Amino acid sequence: MKQLLWINGQYVETEKYNELKGPFGQEKIADVAMASENDVLNAISAAEEATLKMAELTSHQRAEILEKVAGLLKDNREECARIIAKEAAKPIKAARTEVDRTIMTYKFAANEARRIHGETVPMDAAPGGEGRLAFTVREPLGVIGAITPFNFPMNLVAHKVGPAVAAGNTVVLKPASQTPLSAYKIAEYFHEAGLPSGALNVVSGSGSKVGDVLMKDNRIKMITFTGSPEVGKYIRENSGLKRVTLELGSNSGVIVDEGVNLEKAVPRIVTGAFAYQGQVCISVQRIYVHENIFDTFVELFLQETRKLKLGDPLHEDTDISALISKNDFDRTKDWVNEAVENGAVLASGGESREGVFTPTVLLNASPKDKVSCEEAFAPIVHINKFKTVDEAIGMVNESKYGLQAGIFTNDINKALKAAKKLEVGGVMINEIPTFRVDQMPYGGVKLSGMGREGIKYAVEEMTELKLISFKTE
Ligand code: NAP
């Protein structure tokens, strides 16, 4: 299969193509277009011209397009799940869940398209403001440059394209090089659903090359980026006065207090730690357990971890498959070795089986070990003890990241204290930090990013507020 670029409503050839291989088994999937600078400029021109066509669409027409895309995804659920499973090595069960979430994301975008509104402003609240009727409207920004990561290749594209189209913007999308096929599939669905040509363009290619063109071009009004903190920082520093939202990484922590129902909590936390091989931005990476229940917790956690099935992402019962790249595999191994050399106990995992990194549980890792203080993005978790919830909150906060955190407790006062003191974008009480539904505000503090997604909140980021004031006397 040859995957061309998608510019101005059609597939377009380019000069260079790269071989795309599935991370599990390394079989060839496609030859994928590597956009040149000129291709990206053509995509930006198409997107700019399409802003006029988008401006002619009413909000109910934009909503109908988004609803149709949700419908097409529903009709082709299995095909979409298999694309994700192959290019990302995401176990097919998880890939289907991602498609279902993507459908919800576009449905929420359709709902949001119908209710973008401003508010009246009481101008006479200030002396001199009398005799005026004033209100705000939200206008589209224009062309948005969207850059997406490999780990949710359909739903994270939806979190950018959904709100952008809902608000009447146009998009140049640069998907991750390992997972471009999901993005091209979505472009086809938007075309079929009636989105004007040029309103969504997809340009696969080198991140830095395509990214630099998007950042330098003044016709791009906003960059919306999801990915690693290193790239996010580079984008923030090189985008001039463009609006920028950054959804970056984390090393999410969860606190488990004494007295909670471990039979219920442990399986949830195992899911949060190992779903999609731990390659989720809100994967549970650090677990802090009250000292009185530590041994029982660890035993149950290991029991539950042993139930996970490793292997081919296309097999129905697979829970964990290959990491996204050989480099990530090697890095993961090095980090586990470092922690063990520094005194952590390897309670489970730390090896390779058929090229799959086994789910790894470390006990008492030091906060200075990379498995603790950096983002692991791999099936590694560590479990440490605490005496008081105050101490545990401090441990979770001892991080350069702050995306989401969780606490399991039966004590309302401890829960409320954690809600107040945890330095994160979202606190999950009696839930894993990995919990997300697609309409909730989502984003981080510290190195985890700036700005919020979740359709309503992304629409706010992707629109300009304009004030209109009528002088009535
Ligand atoms: P990544 O390496 O930062 O890549 C993300 C995207 O940026 C890819 O499309 C990549 O293209 C592109 N890119 C690379 N270098 C660039 C540059 N110099 N300028 C502009 N774009 C560039 O991240 P990843 O490995 O795909 O994804 C994992 C990271 O994403 C983790 O840190 C994870 O926590 C984070 N993440 C955050 C959220 C969130 O909502 N907070 C959600 C999911 C993932 P290439 O693929 O061509 O390199």
Side-chain angles (χ1 to χ4, degrees):
M1 178 206 174
K2 195 173 177 190
Q3 179 60 67
L4 311 187
L5 303 168
W6 179 262
I7 298 175
N8 207 12
Q10 53 189 336
Y11 278 122
V12 176
E13 287 270 9
T14 188
E15 278 161 29
K16 212 180 143 216
Y17 290 79
N18 265 9
E19 207 173 67
L20 178 69
K21 290 180 175 171
F24 180 85
Q26 295 296 309
E27 82 290 5
K28 179 171 167 179
I29 305 177
D31 287 306
V32 177
M34 298 292 287
S36 66
E37 181 176 349
N38 219 24
D39 292 324
V40 184
L41 291 173
N42 287 341
I44 299 172
S45 301
E48 199 189 38
E49 274 174 38
T51 55
L52 301 174
K53 291 183 244 170
M54 283 300 279
E56 283 169 18
L57 295 183
T58 60
S59 51
H60 73 81
Q61 286 170 323
R62 298 197 302 276
E64 277 157 23
I65 290 169
L66 290 158
E67 276 157 10
K68 278 188 193 153
V69 170
L72 286 164
L73 277 158
K74 212 169 168 190
D75 296 345
N76 298 285
R77 177 180 187 250
E78 194 56 25
E79 186 193 349
C80 290
R82 291 180 78 81
I83 294 173
I84 297 171
K86 280 189 195 162
E87 66 179 1
K90 181 170 283 192
I92 189 75
K93 290 181 289 190
R96 288 189 192 116
T97 306
E98 178 173 350
V99 178
D100 292 342
R101 279 186 58 189
T102 309
I103 293 167
M104 283 312 298
T105 304
Y106 284 118
K107 282 187 180 172
F108 281 124
N111 293 344
E112 233 28 79
R114 289 193 157 94
R115 60 176 170 233
I116 296 171
H117 61 86
E119 59 184 10
T120 53
V121 182
M123 302 294 265
D124 66 353
E130 300 83 357
R132 283 166 181 83
L133 170 66
F135 58 93
T136 59
V137 289
R138 288 205 165 266
E139 294 187 337
L141 295 179
V143 185
I144 294 183
I147 304 177
T148 50
F150 75 82
N151 64 337
F152 286 85
M154 268 198 187
N155 197 32
L156 292 181
V157 163
H159 270 285
K160 306 205 177 298
V161 177
V165 169
N169 294 293
T170 65
V171 180
V172 178
L173 168 67
K174 149 66 186 117
S177 290
Q178 181 57 47
T179 55
L181 304 182
S182 306
Y184 283 109
K185 186 48 87 184
I186 289 298
E188 283 179 18
Y189 291 159
F190 266 103
H191 190 64
E192 203 178 325
L195 187 74
S197 297
L200 171 60
N201 308 275
V202 184
V203 282
S204 47
S206 140
S208 54
K209 197 165 166 181
V210 176
D212 280 355
V213 182
L214 295 177
M215 279 177 262
K216 279 190 199 127
D217 199 302
N218 285 332
R219 294 172 295 174
I220 300 268
K221 301 300 177 213
M222 172 187 187
I223 304 270
T224 167
F225 172 79
T226 301
S228 59
E230 301 72 40
V231 177
K233 186 163 180 282
Y234 175 82
I235 290 176
R236 187 76 201 85
E237 286 169 1
N238 290 280
S239 294
L241 289 179
K242 285 185 188 14
R243 201 173 285 190
V244 173
T245 57
L246 303 174
E247 300 290 338
L248 311 177
S250 84
N251 57 352
S252 299
V254 62
I255 298 168
V256 186
D257 192 16
E258 58 182 337
V260 302
N261 182 340
L262 291 183
E263 300 289 335
K264 268 193 182 167
V266 169
R268 279 300 283 159
I269 302 175
V270 168
T271 302
F274 299 125
Y276 187 37
Q277 292 90 267
Q279 297 170 126
V280 178
C281 47
I282 36 179
S283 273
V284 173
Q285 188 174 326
R286 301 176 294 145
I287 307 175
Y288 300 104
V289 179
H290 193 280
E291 58 180 3
N292 291 348
I293 55 162
F294 187 80
D295 293 341
T296 317
F297 181 92
V298 170
E299 201 183 310
L300 286 174
F301 196 88
L302 293 174
Q303 260 175 37
E304 203 61 35
T305 302
R306 277 185 219 110
K307 293 182 191 164
L308 297 171
K309 298 251 180 354
L310 276 54
D312 188 328
L314 291 172
H315 288 175
E316 285 300 328
D317 58 354
T318 297
D319 298 301
I320 298 195
S321 190
L323 283 169
I324 200 70
S325 72
K326 168 91 173 49
N327 278 351
D328 284 287
F329 183 96
D330 294 342
R331 173 184 59 79
T332 303
K333 215 168 171 39
D334 289 348
W335 287 17
V336 172
N337 289 343
E338 178 205 61
V340 172
E341 275 161 27
N342 290 345
V345 175
L346 180 63
S348 171
E351 10 160 84
S352 156
R353 219 180 292 155
E354 288 178 62
V356 174
F357 202 91
T358 51
T360 301
V361 182
L362 292 157
L363 306 181
N364 302 320
S366 149
K368 293 202 171 62
D369 290 337
K370 293 200 192 72
V371 293
S372 186
C373 66
E374 299 293 336
E375 178 180 39
F377 228 56
I380 314 177
V381 75
H382 75 76
I383 313 177
N384 289 26
K385 277 179 205 169
F386 69 83
K387 282 188 200 314
T388 66
V389 164
D390 279 311
E391 183 194 5
I393 292 170
M395 287 165 165
V396 173
N397 285 343
E398 193 184 343
S399 169
K400 56 187 172 186
Y401 301 107
L403 194 45
Q404 297 204 135
I407 176 166
F408 287 83
T409 181
N410 292 334
D411 184 329
I412 183 83
N413 293 316
K414 288 179 188 168
L416 290 173
K417 185 183 263 188
K420 188 168 177 197
K421 295 215 158 160
L422 286 168
E423 296 160 2
V424 287
V427 177
M428 300 294 137
I429 294 162
N430 291 328
E431 182 54 285
I432 45 178
T434 326
F435 180 79
R436 180 181 186 188
V437 282
D438 294 283
Q439 78 280 26
M440 71 186 216
Y442 181 76
V445 301
K446 302 184 190 171
L447 276 192
S448 292
M450 57 204 309
R452 290 292 179 268
E453 288 195 340
I455 306 299
K456 172 173 178 255
Y457 308 92
V459 163
E460 282 171 15
E461 310 265 1
M462 291 179 174
T463 48
E464 199 74 77
L465 199 65
K466 181 187 268 180
L467 173 80
I468 296 160
S469 170
F470 275 90
K471 194 161 184 306
T472 53
E473 304 166 358

